[in-house]
């Protein structure tokens, strides 16, 4: 047997099967809508893979090492095989390199195998449990092939047996990759994942200039009402679903899943994979949506009622914990919002108090249906000027919806006290301040959001000011990151950022004898994960002499309070409440106080019953330490 020639034939057979499989899978992706992509993204794959993707993978050092070894070794083996046997060079030096790469891949595959022997509950099983064996077979086959090529006739009669073993290992192991993309096996992620990096729906994620967390506006005039069926997604969004490795890191991070609500973000993505391939969903071997059976679907059939139950869609808090943890950079929240938009805009089928909140926003410009004149009743004795057209303010304070909550009004009063103590010239809009539209947008009502955003921008154009400050991370995020797409650009800061700067500049007169205390701090999702701001609140606490005992899940890994995405309005039941779980995190620190920096977090944590830590807003802590 001419062993080198057999390797050449096997290589080209595998390449042909891989190409056919890729063409078959690409046909499924092309069912989606057209999307503008730059083919130059293909040249950006190495940087995005080794920098952006591995930045996330590296959070788990063990699997990061395993992935570097097995993936790096496999890519090296394939590249060397392509050069030495695909091009029929048959150079001994390349065989030596291929042997080293095979050893590296073998070590990585053994690490993957060890993880699978005692896997965390989040990992999918089924075909994924076969993957380490396939990788080991391929690594052993490649190593034996290199040894045979280097040994010549030295192995005598054993060479034939080793050659058969090498070809068997390469064939069986290589089939996982060559056939995986076409048949939808685990290794489809290797090809789909690289293409996903090239044609990612959010190309700005790789620019490094700012976080890409804003929802993209719909062209309502063109009758773009979101996604009803899998084929309504853009083709590169369908591609992104195939990049999922079912590691379950999103599942482990999801507050709704932890609370027993019927949402598992990993299963959500796999539901979309099932839909694009028109499958029955029975091949899925991971944890389901709690309380939900496996479902099938079709690329041309509605997702809700087929692939997904409606309560699954409305369980999401849009906290982006899933996106933050995904090593393949998949955008789960975009998927949820796209589906919500179609339901809300075409049917208005928002559950529980969500529909009432949207109706209030349309009728009164407030979530609770309050008169706009009541927004600043809490400030009537604080001598805060109401800005009038033609006048100018250095700082415009936007209180947001928290202004209607009696508990949060204490925090707003404290904020005004702090800003005045620093000598800042502040003003408010009074009854002219409308809602920013955050809740409407997260509930899928893009039409109401755009109307509210247009009204807010038209209002702000009538006034002269230098900066905007708000204690509401949702309002902050909307104006800073989502209004620019609609033509609104503002210099806006969260109140923690402003206060941190004031403390850095020593503009706040503080008590000299303030008692040193210890607290824990709850990071708001829309300040931390959405805007990357975890430092400013901690600078404030340090600046006023407060020590922070961190919860296990804090900073960018903070657990959601349960309000976001309209979840407190849609109110999908689970086994426990998300804010109760967060208060358990607080109890675990032993702190008697938990600081917050968001009106919605304040409301959710204040609503926890039973013995618990005192909930204190950041501005209240600063105001209590001001020198009289």
């Amino acid at each position: 047997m001419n062993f080198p020639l057999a390797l050449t034939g096997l290589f080209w057979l595998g390449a042909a099967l891989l190409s056919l499989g890729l063409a078959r899978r690409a046909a499924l992706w092309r069912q989606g809508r057209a999307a503008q992509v730059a083919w130059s993204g293909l040249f950006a794959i190495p940087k995005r893979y080794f920098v952006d993707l591995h930045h996330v993978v590296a959070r788990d050092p063990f699997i990061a090492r395993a992935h570097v070894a097995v993936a790096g070794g496999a890519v090296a083996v394939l590249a060397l095989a392509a050069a030495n046997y695909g091009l029929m060079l048959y150079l001994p030096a390349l065989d030596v390199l291929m042997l080293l790469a095979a050893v590296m891949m073998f070590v990585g595959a053994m690490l993957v195998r060890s993880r699978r022997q005692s896997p965390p509950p989040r990992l999918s099983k089924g075909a994924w449990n076969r993957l380490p064996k396939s990788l080991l077979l391929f690594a052993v086959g490649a190593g034996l092939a290199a040894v045979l090529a280097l040994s010549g006739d030295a192995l005598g009669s054993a060479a034939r047996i080793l050659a058969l073993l090498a070809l068997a290992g390469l064939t069986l192991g290589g089939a996982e990759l060559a056939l995986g993309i076409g048949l939808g096996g685990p290794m489809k992620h290797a090809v789909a994942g690289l293409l996903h990096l090239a044609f990612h729906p959010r190309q700005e994620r790789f620019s490094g200039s700012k976080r890409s967390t804003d929802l993209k506006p719909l062209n309502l005039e063109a009758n773009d009402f979101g996604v009803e069926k899998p084929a309504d997604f853009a083709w590169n969004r369908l591609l992104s679903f195939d990049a999922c490795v079912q590691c379950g890191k999103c599942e482990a991070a999801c507050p709704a899943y932890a609370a027993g609500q019927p949402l598992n973000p990993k299963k959500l993505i796999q539901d979309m994979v099932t839909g694009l391939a028109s499958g029955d969903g029975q091949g899925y071997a991971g944890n389901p949506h709690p309380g939900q059976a496996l479902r099938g679907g079709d690329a041309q059939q509605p997702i809700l009622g087929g692939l997904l139950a409606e309560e699954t869609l409305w369980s999401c808090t849009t906290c982006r914990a899933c996106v933050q943890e995904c090593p393949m950079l998949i955008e789960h929240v975009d998927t949820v919002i796209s589906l919500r938009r179609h339901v809300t805009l075409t049917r208005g089928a928002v559950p529980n108090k969500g529909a009432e909140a949207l109706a209030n926003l349309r009728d009164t410009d407030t979530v609770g249906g309050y008169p706009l004149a009541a927004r600043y009743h809490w400030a009537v004795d604080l001598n805060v000027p109401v800005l009038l057209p033609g006048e100018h303010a250095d700082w415009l304070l936007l209180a947001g919806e928290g202004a209607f909550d009696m508990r949060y009004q204490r925090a707003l009063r404290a904020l005004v006290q702090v800003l005045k103590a620093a000598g800042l010239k502040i003003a408010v809009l009074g009854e002219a301040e409308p809602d920013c539209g955050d809740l409407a947008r997260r509930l899928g009502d893009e039409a109401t959001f755009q109307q509210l955003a247009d009204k807010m921008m038209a209002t702000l154009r009538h006034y002269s000011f230098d900066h905007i400050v708000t204690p509401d991370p949702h309002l902050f995020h909307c104006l800073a990151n989502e209004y620019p797409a609609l033509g609104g650009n503002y210099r806006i800061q969260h109140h923690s950022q402003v206060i941190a700067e004031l403390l850095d500049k020593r503009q706040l007169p503080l008590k000299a004898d303030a008692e040193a205390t210890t607290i824990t701090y709850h990071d708001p999702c829309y300040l931390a994960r959405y805007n990357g701001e975890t430092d400013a609140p901690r600078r404030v606490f340090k600046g006023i002499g407060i020590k922070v005992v961190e919860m296990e899940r804090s900073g960018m890994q903070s657990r959601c309070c349960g309000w976001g995405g309209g979840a407190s309005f849609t109110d999908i039941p689970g086994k426990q409440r998300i804010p109760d779980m967060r208060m358990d995190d607080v109890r675990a620190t032993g702190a008697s106080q938990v600081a917050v920096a968001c009106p919605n977090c304040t409301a959710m944590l204040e609503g926890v019953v039973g013995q618990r830590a005192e909930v204190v807003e950041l501005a209240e802590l600063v105001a209590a330490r001001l020198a009289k």
Side-chain angles (χ1 to χ4, degrees), residues 533-579:
E533 182 59 86
T534 60
D535 180 59
R538 289 167 174 80
R539 282 165 49 207
V540 170
F541 300 136
K542 183 178 180 180
I544 59 176
I546 291 179
K547 180 182 178 182
V548 176
V549 178
E550 298 287 3
M551 287 180 265
E552 181 179 355
R553 294 184 59 167
S554 62
M556 301 298 283
Q557 282 72 45
S558 178
R559 191 196 300 273
C560 179
C561 74
W563 189 96
S568 63
F569 295 88
T570 55
D571 197 22
I572 303 301
K575 293 183 178 179
Q576 54 185 326
R577 298 176 67 248
I578 294 174

Side-chain angles (χ1 to χ4, degrees), residues 76-130:
V77 166
L78 291 171
L80 291 165
N84 211 26
Y85 295 97
L87 300 180
M88 303 175 71
L89 299 178
Y90 305 139
L91 298 176
L94 294 182
D95 286 321
V96 171
L97 293 176
M98 192 167 83
L99 176 60
L100 295 175
V103 171
M104 178 180 175
M105 182 182 176
F106 181 85
V107 172
M110 289 298 292
L111 292 175
V112 174
R113 179 175 176 271
S114 70
R115 171 61 65 94
R116 285 281 164 180
Q117 288 178 329
S118 55
R122 58 179 171 79
L123 285 180
S124 291
K125 300 175 178 61
W128 290 91
N129 283 345
R130 182 186 70 229

Side-chain angles (χ1 to χ4, degrees), residues 573-624:
K575 293 183 178 179
Q576 54 185 326
R577 298 176 67 248
I578 294 174
D580 291 344
M581 292 174 8
R582 190 51 169 165
M583 193 57 76
D584 286 341
D585 296 338
V586 173
R587 292 188 184 101
T589 68
S592 60
Q593 290 183 319
V594 53
V596 289
C598 169
N600 305 317
C601 297
T602 303
M604 296 303 285
L605 294 182
E606 286 279 21
V608 175
V609 299
Q611 187 175 4
R612 59 167 173 79
E614 179 188 9
V615 180
V616 189
E617 216 278 343
L618 176 143
E620 293 174 335
L621 290 169
V622 179

Side-chain angles (χ1 to χ4, degrees), residues 255-302:
Y257 181 79
Q261 294 175 325
L263 168 64
N264 179 342
K266 179 179 73 175
K267 181 62 169 63
L268 173 74
I269 298 302
Q270 289 309 305
D271 288 335
M272 301 304 105
V273 173
T274 296
L276 76 90
S278 299
D280 60 10
Q282 298 306 307
Y284 176 72
N287 294 319
H289 300 298
Q292 299 289 318
L294 296 179
R295 298 164 175 250
D298 185 273
Q300 300 299 333
Q301 295 298 318

